[in-house]
Amino acid sequence: MKNIIHKTAAVLLGSLVGFQSCSKFEEINKDPYGANADQVQVEYFINNAIINSQMDPHIAERVFVLYWTTAGRFSSGGGISSGGYNDGWSSDYYGRSYMASWLSAINSAIQIGQQQIEAGTAPEYTPNLVQVARIWRAYLMSELADTFGPIPLDAFHGDNPSYASLQDVYNFLLSELTDASTKLDLAVSASSISRFDPAYGYDFAKWQKYANSMRMRLAMRLSEVDAGKAQAEFEAAAALPHITAAADMFQVAEQPGWDGLTGVMTRTWNHFNISATLNNLYLGLGGIPSADQLATSYADYIKPANYVGIKYDDHFAMLTNAPTAGYWFDGLPNSIDPRAYKIYAIPGDESNALYPTYATLDNKRNLMSEDGSVFKEVNLAYTWNGFANGAWGTRGSLNQVYSYPNGSPRLNSLFRNSDNKRVFFAPWESYFLVAEAALRGWSAPMDAQAAYEAGITSSFEHWGVTSYLGDYLSSTDYNMTGTSVSWGHTTEPPATHAMNFVDGYTGSAGVANIPYPDNDLYEGGAVKNDLLTKIITQKFIAQAPWLPLETWNDQRRLGLPFFENPAVEDPLVNMPDLNQSNYMDASIRFFPQRVRYPSTIPASNPEGYDSAVSALGGPDEVLTPLWWAKQQ
């Protein structure tokens, strides 16, 4: 049996043409509890795949941080958000880690488990382990496909793989999840090996719920391109047990160090400043005053509700459709979604036990004059801003504030020290999926309003802010994008709203008509506060900071929520369709749609690469939409 397993692993790894692969059993089957080749069992491969696909700091920085959190608009930053990409990052993820490790391990689990079952040497729980491995493989493949596009379905059969269309990939994944969920025997116990499952401890009922929840997620992904398939798959999955409680959440505990369990957001040089997108969704939403959320010592920093800040239009980017372009907010917002202060730290607030103190940062930065002298020293402490990405040009060269880590709120240390749990699927996502399905008229276990409010409640419970829930759910206050919380409040906001400001150059007070931005990607920009916008807004906020790939997926699928355009004070070479004449409009050409395939693929498997591009339906570029994405 030892030789059979060894040869199986070698064949699987050898099929990854174009990537450096392992040649020894130990390299694919590193058991963190000390197993060796003589002790190998299916659970070791599953454990390997789950742990390592959490991403060690090297891979996490390149994919989770620099691709997903910027494309999904959880954190500010350039790169892919302005159309860029890095071939080395993509190669590391696709090849060295993803294909050559995580999928190899999970495919080994499936094949070896099946061999043991056929040989009659498998423990009673092995058939269930095979189903668990199929479920996790479905997640891994969906992650890869949602990032790049068409992927191989035959990558482990010994030949240069061909690439399947995303439609075929999704049909395969939905079929796998359906079949694996059905074949789990919940009467079987695997408690003796529970330590080898870092997510659920081999509680098979929870794995079944996760499979059905993943099926709901992937079914909804097809809503805009194959509504019939989406509805049928979703209704079937939602009628089965799925994740609706915190105890069923798919999450994996982090631990300090440098391996797959190290937190994905732990690198000290990644500052995770709040994005303008998320900030605009937070501000004013729910009508919960900052004074009610913060200690009285913060009172002097809280600004009036109708105040937009100091206008520095020669120093802050203006050529973007961000609603507060040109303004610096020199205090704390009057009201804000109560989850914001739980996730992001107020700049300079070192009284906060979770303040990110990993780097020495001061609270003063300058706005410069064109002659090189200091025009204004700006105090960053106890301020709250989110800045649009893009090319800030001359304005940026005179501004030492917007790109400085302490210039806007940063993720607090709760997410930086590898002492949390990385969330892969939470109950709030199930509820928001059900809310969307019910809104579409599909058969669902709850009506749309009940599911929407249950999703918000689940998120509030997670962050410990349920004391605000009642007022929040009934609030008709608009956020900066013109969306409110109350389900029954679908009145559209006016085109603009009057807000007070101070001219940063003259010191005089004024009143500005701040626009509620038009989102041309959704309903032609005419709708900002309908029920679907509410659902996706709340889903986006609830997923922060763990699921940026899903927020990117929703924006690509629906054009929701509103994503401001990158600034074009200077041309964006990787996003040429966005320019100084159309920056107030919206187009899918203004937002990244995928990650380019790494150059190792055409170099090693040109026929496979050609099949991938053909299945993609467009050039291998960041701006080429995926099959299931909104086409406009």
Side-chain angles (χ1 to χ4, degrees):
M1 189 66 195
K2 173 182 173 183
N3 289 335
I4 292 174
I5 296 172
H6 188 279
K7 291 178 181 178
T8 300
V11 168
L12 293 173
L13 290 168
S15 70
L16 301 174
V17 178
F19 302 112
Q20 183 178 0
S21 60
C22 305
S23 59
K24 297 180 181 179
F25 173 84
E26 287 78 11
E27 291 182 87
I28 187 173
N29 193 53
K30 286 184 179 178
D31 166 36
Y33 300 94
N36 58 44
D38 293 326
Q39 299 170 312
V40 69
Q41 296 293 341
V42 174
E43 57 266 28
Y44 297 161
F45 285 102
I46 296 174
N47 193 51
N48 172 284
I50 294 177
I51 286 177
N52 287 323
S53 58
Q54 310 313 298
M55 301 185 184
D56 66 40
H58 176 85
I59 297 300
E61 182 180 32
R62 282 144 182 78
V63 179
F64 188 97
V65 177
L66 296 172
Y67 281 158
W68 293 348
T69 69
T70 53
R73 297 294 183 92
F74 280 170
S75 59
S76 63
I80 194 170
S81 71
S82 299
Y85 77 101
N86 183 291
D87 186 63
W89 302 346
S90 302
S91 296
D92 283 351
Y93 171 55
Y94 195 101
R96 184 171 61 83
S97 291
Y98 198 103
M99 295 286 282
S101 175
W102 313 338
L103 274 175
S104 292
I106 208 65
N107 274 279
S108 292
I110 295 168
Q111 292 198 13
I112 294 167
Q114 290 170 338
Q115 289 173 1
Q116 291 178 349
I117 293 168
E118 292 170 2
T121 60
E124 181 186 22
Y125 50 70
T126 297
N128 273 0
L129 299 193
V130 171
Q131 308 316 317
V132 165
R134 293 173 71 195
I135 293 166
W136 188 242
R137 181 176 65 178
Y139 167 74
L140 290 177
M141 293 178 71
S142 74
E143 177 184 294
L144 192 68
D146 291 343
T147 301
F148 291 98
I151 60 172
L153 295 180
D154 58 351
F156 296 88
H157 294 172
D159 299 317
N160 284 3
S162 60
Y163 283 66
S165 70
L166 274 185
Q167 184 172 16
D168 287 344
V169 169
Y170 265 76
N171 286 340
F172 172 75
L173 299 181
L174 289 165
S175 176
E176 280 288 281
L177 290 168
T178 301
D179 191 61
S181 171
T182 302
K183 288 180 177 176
L184 282 170
D185 185 345
L186 304 189
V188 171
S189 171
S191 59
S192 62
I193 59 167
S194 62
R195 67 189 186 278
F196 297 114
D197 174 5
Y200 287 141
Y202 285 122
D203 183 328
F204 297 124
K206 292 184 177 181
W207 271 103
Q208 187 178 69
K209 290 178 180 179
Y210 174 63
N212 297 330
S213 298
M214 274 294 299
R215 188 179 171 197
M216 291 163 60
R217 174 193 281 179
L218 300 187
M220 189 60 76
R221 195 93 78 237
L222 308 186
S223 64
E224 306 307 297
V225 292
D226 192 346
K229 174 75 169 178
Q231 180 177 355
E233 291 283 352
F234 189 94
E235 289 179 345
L240 299 170
H242 55 272
I243 296 171
T244 58
D248 298 329
M249 190 182 306
F250 194 107
Q251 55 186 347
V252 177
E254 301 169 338
Q255 65 183 23
W258 188 285
D259 58 24
L261 292 178
T262 307
V264 290
M265 295 177 279
T266 54
R267 298 308 92 189
T268 58
W269 49 86
N270 299 136
H271 299 289
F272 295 99
N273 293 87
I274 192 171
S275 71
T277 301
L278 181 54
N279 194 45
N280 286 325
L281 298 182
Y282 275 152
L283 290 174
L285 189 65
I288 308 299
S290 288
D292 292 350
Q293 303 181 50
L294 302 173
T296 56
S297 58
Y298 295 81
D300 290 343
Y301 304 109
I302 298 172
K303 297 296 184 178
N306 64 342
Y307 177 72
V308 70
I310 303 176
K311 189 174 184 180
Y312 289 116
D313 50 6
D314 289 338
H315 288 85
F316 287 83
M318 296 294 294
L319 302 185
T320 170
N321 60 350
T324 57
Y327 291 93
W328 160 256
F329 196 78
D330 56 328
L332 300 178
N334 189 267
S335 66
I336 192 169
D337 188 294
R339 290 165 287 190
Y341 292 135
K342 295 292 184 178
I343 299 174
Y344 292 92
I346 297 168
D349 183 19
E350 297 185 20
S351 65
N352 180 356
L354 296 177
Y355 188 75
T357 56
Y358 53 84
T360 301
L361 298 172
D362 61 54
N363 296 315
K364 300 290 179 67
R365 275 296 179 271
N366 296 324
L367 301 179
M368 306 300 294
S369 298
E370 291 186 3
D371 63 6
S373 63
V374 174
F375 161 70
K376 178 76 173 181
E377 183 182 69
V378 177
N379 187 356
L380 310 176
Y382 301 97
T383 62
W384 192 276
N385 291 270
F387 303 118
N389 297 329
W392 279 46
T394 300
R395 287 182 170 93
S397 68
L398 301 176
N399 188 323
Q400 298 178 356
V401 173
Y402 84 101
S403 61
Y404 187 63
N406 229 24
S408 57
R410 292 175 287 150
L411 275 183
N412 67 44
S413 62
L414 180 67
F415 311 101
R416 312 305 306 273
N417 299 330
S418 290
D419 55 4
N420 210 316
K421 291 184 178 180
R422 181 179 169 190
V423 175
F424 282 80
F425 205 109
W428 53 76
E429 183 175 349
S430 294
Y431 287 122
F432 291 128
L433 287 167
V434 168
E436 182 179 347
L439 186 66
R440 292 176 179 274
W442 301 354
S443 177
M446 303 172 71
D447 67 45
Q449 179 178 355
Y452 168 78
E453 293 181 349
I456 296 172
T457 300
S458 174
S459 178
F460 270 49
E461 289 172 346
H462 181 75
W463 294 110
V465 292
T466 53
S467 61
Y468 308 113
L469 183 61
D471 290 340
Y472 187 88
L473 289 175
S474 63
S475 173
T476 60
D477 290 2
Y478 297 114
N479 63 11
M480 296 301 290
T481 65
T483 306
S484 66
V485 176
S486 172
W487 184 261
H489 179 246
T490 54
T491 303
E492 285 295 310
T496 63
H497 52 122
M499 300 191 78
N500 297 328
F501 73 95
V502 174
D503 189 304
Y505 307 108
T506 67
S508 60
V511 178
N513 291 317
I514 303 299
Y516 288 113
D518 292 337
N519 182 7
D520 298 331
L521 295 180
Y522 180 68
E523 299 294 342
V527 176
K528 303 175 178 68
N529 196 37
D530 70 339
L531 297 178
L532 184 57
T533 302
K534 291 177 186 288
I535 291 168
I536 302 302
T537 294
Q538 290 295 334
K539 186 180 178 185
F540 184 104
I541 292 171
Q543 301 285 42
W546 295 112
L547 289 154
L549 180 57
E550 282 308 302
T551 59
W552 187 23
N553 287 339
D554 276 338
Q555 197 272 343
R556 289 182 287 174
R557 175 172 67 96
L558 296 169
L560 291 171
F562 171 77
F563 278 23
E564 76 288 342
N565 291 332
V568 285
E569 302 289 339
D570 282 343
L572 293 172
V573 295
N574 295 314
M575 198 169 279
D577 288 353
L578 175 62
N579 55 60
Q580 295 184 0
S581 68
N582 63 8
Y583 67 88
M584 291 300 294
D585 301 330
S587 165
I588 63 169
R589 299 287 297 173
F590 301 169
F591 306 104
Q593 299 297 311
R594 57 182 291 273
V595 174
R596 287 180 59 174
Y597 292 115
S599 60
T600 46
I601 297 178
S604 62
N605 182 11
E607 291 183 0
Y609 177 73
D610 288 344
S611 71
V613 176
S614 176
L616 181 63
D620 181 16
E621 300 293 346
V622 170
L623 300 179
T624 298
L626 299 183
W627 166 70
W628 48 254
K630 187 176 183 67
Q631 309 287 317
Q632 181 171 314

